[in-house]
Amino acid sequence: MKIVCCFLAFLFAFPAAFSQKRPLDHSVYDGWESIGERSLSPNGKYLVYTITPQEGDGRLVIRSTETGYAKEIPRGANAVITEDSRRVIFQIHPFFKDTRDARIKKKTPDQFPRDTLAWIELGKDSVVKIPRVKSYKVPEKEGSWLAYLLEKAEAPRSDSVKTASPKSGSSTPSPADPASAAADSLTRIHKLLARADSLSRAADSLRSKVAEIGAKGFPVASLPKKETRPSGETIEEGTELVLLNLNTGQEKKFPLVSEYYFSKYGQVLVVESTRKNA
């Protein structure tokens, strides 16, 4: 009799419990999380991975495989463990809502929130952050060097520019003579063309020297092929590249950089630069 009663009680309780479960809809799907990037340090002592929701801000997780050390960095992603297993270098994305708002308001790419570069020494808590970083690279087989490319500097606000009004009693300067202005412009154009021609000859000479050295059996880095661009085509201006020694803190900066590459063991950094747009 007791067995039958218990069984009947279970039958009545089960539908009630089942009916209280939260229904599956889009709000539930957005909260589901998954493991994204994952990597193990070369010495096997640290595991680094990302936890990513269907929609929203993820996080970067760093865990020791030997001790209880664990660190979570909100919105961390694109992590790389240096070859010497000393540091994790990564990017911190802007808040999801800020990027979404910028997209809804149809802001220009320059007005979107930017990534932050960061790194942490494994086993410690202090995080170093560098704002407005476009990209970064480290050598494949060397752990002390880091190169990162900064975003273009923010343009000053238009409301901060004031127009000076002429003083009372002063005469307004007359416009320049059109013929004289045209002559000055033509002179500047000729000077720019002469400079461009000189740089082109220097680049051709350098390519010839590199080819000559390579023919003798010496390893050399290949230079980009000479490019021909249609007249008047706009080239995106490069930005500042910073080369940093993580162990000593010493850094070197390169202006107007568009691309950069480390050699496998970090002995060479190849930099491609652009001209400065007027």
Side-chain angles (χ1 to χ4, degrees):
M1 185 65 181
K2 289 183 179 181
I3 295 176
V4 174
C5 291
C6 291
F7 179 71
L8 290 174
F10 174 77
L11 287 178
F12 283 110
F14 180 74
F18 183 78
S19 63
Q20 293 174 0
K21 287 189 175 181
R22 184 177 180 181
L24 295 178
D25 57 19
H26 68 87
S27 64
V28 176
Y29 305 147
D30 293 344
W32 286 358
E33 295 181 330
S34 60
I35 300 294
E37 310 162 25
R38 49 195 178 276
S39 57
L40 189 66
S41 63
N43 62 9
K45 294 183 178 181
Y46 292 92
L47 177 65
V48 177
Y49 59 93
T50 57
I51 298 178
T52 308
Q54 296 295 317
E55 182 175 336
D57 297 317
R59 57 192 185 275
L60 181 72
V61 181
I62 306 169
R63 290 187 179 278
S64 171
T65 59
E66 297 180 340
T67 67
Y69 172 83
K71 181 77 174 178
E72 287 194 6
I73 295 94
R75 307 186 311 284
N78 304 328
V80 171
I81 305 174
T82 56
E83 178 63 21
D84 55 8
S85 298
R86 288 187 60 183
R87 300 175 182 89
V88 177
I89 304 171
F90 53 94
Q91 288 175 306
I92 300 177
H93 292 325
F95 285 102
F96 174 82
K97 63 179 181 62
D98 293 341
T99 303
R100 183 173 179 271
D101 289 345
R103 191 179 297 112
I104 292 173
K105 294 177 181 177
K106 297 182 179 180
K107 292 186 176 181
T108 63
D110 292 340
Q111 295 174 326
F112 268 64
R114 301 299 186 179
D115 287 340
T116 295
L117 177 66
W119 62 87
I120 183 173
E121 193 166 342
L122 289 168
K124 298 185 178 180
D125 291 326
S126 179
V127 179
V128 181
K129 297 179 181 179
I130 308 292
R132 296 183 61 82
V133 172
K134 185 183 300 185
S135 65
Y136 78 92
K137 292 179 183 178
V138 295
E140 182 182 345
K141 295 294 183 181
E142 210 282 334
S144 60
W145 290 105
L146 166 66
Y148 57 90
L149 190 63
L150 295 169
E151 292 280 359
K152 189 175 295 185
E154 292 183 284
R157 294 182 179 179
S158 58
D159 58 1
S160 63
V161 179
K162 297 182 179 179
T163 304
S165 57
K167 294 181 179 179
S168 59
S170 62
S171 60
T172 304
S174 60
D177 179 25
S180 176
D184 290 341
S185 298
L186 188 60
T187 301
R188 288 196 295 269
I189 290 173
H190 282 308
K191 288 182 179 180
L192 289 173
L193 288 174
R195 184 180 179 188
D197 186 57
S198 176
L199 291 173
S200 178
R201 288 198 301 270
D204 289 340
S205 175
L206 181 58
R207 287 188 178 88
S208 177
K209 292 292 184 184
V210 169
E212 182 180 343
I213 295 172
K216 294 180 181 180
F218 293 95
V220 294
S222 59
L223 293 177
K225 294 182 179 180
K226 184 178 179 180
E227 295 184 6
T228 56
R229 296 181 181 270
S231 177
E233 180 181 347
T234 302
I235 302 173
E236 184 178 357
E237 184 177 283
T239 57
E240 187 174 68
L241 177 75
V242 180
L243 174 64
L244 173 66
N245 187 309
L246 293 166
N247 293 336
T248 65
Q250 293 181 329
E251 61 180 34
K252 183 175 178 61
K253 298 179 180 180
F254 303 87
L256 301 173
V257 174
S258 58
E259 288 290 346
Y260 58 106
Y261 308 92
F262 270 116
S263 63
K264 186 174 183 178
Y265 291 93
Q267 298 170 323
V268 177
L269 175 66
V270 179
V271 175
E272 180 181 342
S273 60
T274 67
R275 65 173 180 260
K276 184 174 180 61
N277 295 333

